[in-house]
């Protein structure tokens, strides 16, 4: 049984919006995350942090969503990442593109 994808945007703090992702993200479940990222860009926050600790599965749809967000806003990805997600970033070379941090505190630090 797959874990339903959930996305929660936390209240902005000091120009940073944290978006928490939990569950499995694929072509059928990435829409709410895309909408949350687009809203952060529209709202003009200086940094968007994605908390990916609870993300248990991701495919190329999520990867595409993250690349689009990376190209339009200051995006920081907070781990630790699941082995599957870390491998997805490694195999695609996006681990060298994205700003990855070991935890949420590091991602939100000034």
């Amino acid at each position: 049984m797959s874990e339903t994808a959930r996305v929660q945007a936390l209240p902005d703090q000091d120009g940073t919006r944290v978006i928490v992702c939990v569950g499995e993200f694929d072509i059928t479940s990435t829409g709410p995350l895309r909408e949350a990222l687009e809203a952060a860009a529209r709202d003009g926050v200086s940094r968007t942090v994605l908390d990916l600790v609870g993300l248990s599965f991701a495919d190329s749809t999520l990867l595409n969503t993250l690349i689009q967000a990376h190209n339009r806003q200051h995006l920081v990805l907070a781990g630790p990442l699941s082995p599957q997600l870390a491998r997805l970033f490694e195999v695609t070379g996006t681990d060298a593109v994205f700003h990855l941090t070991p935890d949420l505190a590091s991602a939100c630090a000034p």
Side-chain angles (χ1 to χ4, degrees), residues 11-66:
D12 298 351
Q13 290 188 348
D14 300 321
T16 297
R17 179 165 306 165
V18 175
I19 301 172
V20 180
C21 300
V22 176
E24 298 184 3
F25 287 79
D26 59 22
I27 195 164
T28 64
S29 60
T30 305
L33 175 58
R34 185 174 33 260
E35 292 168 9
L37 289 165
E38 289 170 357
R42 273 193 316 273
D43 294 346
V45 296
S46 58
R47 174 175 42 183
T48 304
V49 173
L50 277 187
D51 181 346
L52 300 176
V53 171
L55 194 142
S56 55
F57 173 82
D59 68 5
S60 61
T61 308
L62 176 87
L63 196 59
N64 186 46
T65 299
L66 296 181

Side-chain angles (χ1 to χ4, degrees), residues 52-53 77-83 85-86 89 100-102:
L52 300 176
V53 171
L77 307 180
L81 303 177
S82 70
L85 187 56
F89 290 162
L100 300 166
T101 62

